[in-house]
Amino acid sequence: MSALNIGNIGRFTIYLVGLLVACDTSAQGPPIFTETPIMLGLDGGGVRTFGKYISKENTTVYMHPIAIPFNISSKWQVGAVIPFAYKKPNGLKDQFGLGDISVFTKHQLFQKDGKGKTFRTLIKLTETFPSGNSTGLPQLGTGAWQTTLGIISGYITLKYGLYAEVAYNLTSDGLPDKLLYNTAFSYPLLPQQYPPKQINVSIELNGTYIVENSSNYLFISPGAQWIAGKRFLLETGLQLPLIEDVPDGQKTNFMYTLGTRILIF
């Protein structure tokens, strides 16, 4: 697998961090593949972990990141993402180990609340370290330092949620920079209740634009979530390629995710 594809996987794990909505719209879970502007409750902490199976024409990949966000205040959050990876390219020896670790900080820029609805915008800065093995084949990391700056907005109501995210990824060691863009729509199927018990369905578009050669990756991503109270959420989603500018033999067949999010306190 190329360093480019591994980098996309690593950044995907970063942008998936976010936990249950801590406001009147608590039954609206965050998007599965798009970042959320909703942070945890004041002084909250949590954990997210999931398995991600990636089927490509020339490779099979299993990613298992552990994301740990923590609120410094109601408007400031920090956290880390520790990914593990198993990769089995066709005709090559498989490899398992630590991927590229990331740390991040998020700060809320704007918030406007109404009855049963909220609009919020935040900025997020992520630094990714070359902790994964990048010397052997298959590579478990990019071998490069990466800095990503993004802005995330969301309009969340009791009836639906709309989310949008744009970020720029700056990469060292001659690897190309990337523009990341995501949108999501989520819809709760059950009547609102407290404590929250809900089933949410969602549809997302998740894209990566490679600045150096103007190539593009775009996936459509349906998903579903089960919220079982204030502190626990199960989710699953499927990603299918719409646009993927890679040579024949390297294209993605599908990506499947199954995971959980837990509020600790």
Side-chain angles (χ1 to χ4, degrees), residues 13-14 16 48-52 63-67 81-85:
T13 67
I14 300 167
L16 297 175
R48 182 190 186 189
T49 186
F50 59 91
K52 181 178 178 64
M63 300 291 297
H64 200 105
I66 300 173
V81 180
I82 305 170
F84 296 90

Side-chain angles (χ1 to χ4, degrees), residues 10-227:
R11 280 185 300 281
F12 178 85
T13 67
I14 300 167
Y15 282 90
L16 297 175
V17 179
L19 296 180
L20 302 181
V21 177
C23 62
D24 289 341
T25 55
S26 60
Q28 274 281 2
I32 300 173
F33 305 108
T34 300
E35 179 64 270
T36 174
I38 304 296
M39 298 187 191
L40 309 175
L42 181 62
D43 296 328
V47 63
R48 182 190 186 189
T49 186
F50 59 91
K52 181 178 178 64
Y53 177 82
I54 303 169
S55 172
K56 302 180 75 70
E57 291 178 339
N58 63 342
T59 310
T60 298
V61 180
Y62 177 78
M63 300 291 297
H64 200 105
I66 300 173
I68 306 173
F70 181 80
N71 274 21
I72 304 299
S73 71
S74 61
K75 295 184 178 182
W76 181 23
Q77 185 182 95
V78 297
V81 180
I82 305 170
F84 296 90
Y86 170 79
K87 298 182 179 180
K88 185 175 177 56
N90 296 342
L92 294 176
K93 183 180 178 180
D94 58 341
Q95 187 170 176
F96 171 80
L98 181 68
D100 289 345
I101 295 175
S102 300
V103 295
F104 65 88
T105 181
K106 300 195 296 186
H107 188 269
Q108 183 176 288
L109 301 177
F110 178 81
Q111 176 177 344
K112 184 176 181 180
D113 297 331
K115 185 174 178 58
K117 60 184 177 181
T118 184
F119 177 79
R120 303 187 190 189
T121 297
L122 61 80
I123 190 170
K124 180 177 180 180
L125 177 65
T126 302
E127 187 66 28
T128 304
F129 310 100
S131 54
N133 186 346
S134 61
T135 59
L137 291 176
Q139 296 174 312
L140 297 180
T142 62
W145 293 80
Q146 301 177 58
T147 301
T148 305
L149 182 64
I151 187 166
I152 303 106
S153 292
Y155 179 69
I156 304 100
T157 75
L158 295 175
K159 296 182 178 181
Y160 62 89
L162 294 172
Y163 305 84
E165 168 191 4
V166 178
Y168 192 85
N169 173 260
L170 182 66
T171 308
S172 68
D173 289 354
L175 295 180
D177 296 347
K178 301 166 186 66
L179 179 68
L180 312 172
Y181 56 97
N182 301 291
T183 61
F185 172 81
S186 64
Y187 184 81
L189 299 180
L190 303 179
Q192 301 296 325
Q193 56 182 301
Y194 187 86
K197 292 185 179 180
Q198 186 58 265
I199 297 175
N200 292 320
V201 293
S202 61
I203 188 72
E204 305 182 37
L205 290 173
N206 309 117
T208 301
Y209 176 77
I210 312 301
V211 176
E212 183 178 51
N213 57 13
S214 300
S215 60
N216 198 33
Y217 302 77
L218 181 63
F219 289 80
I220 186 168
S221 311
Q225 294 174 325
W226 174 49
I227 300 176

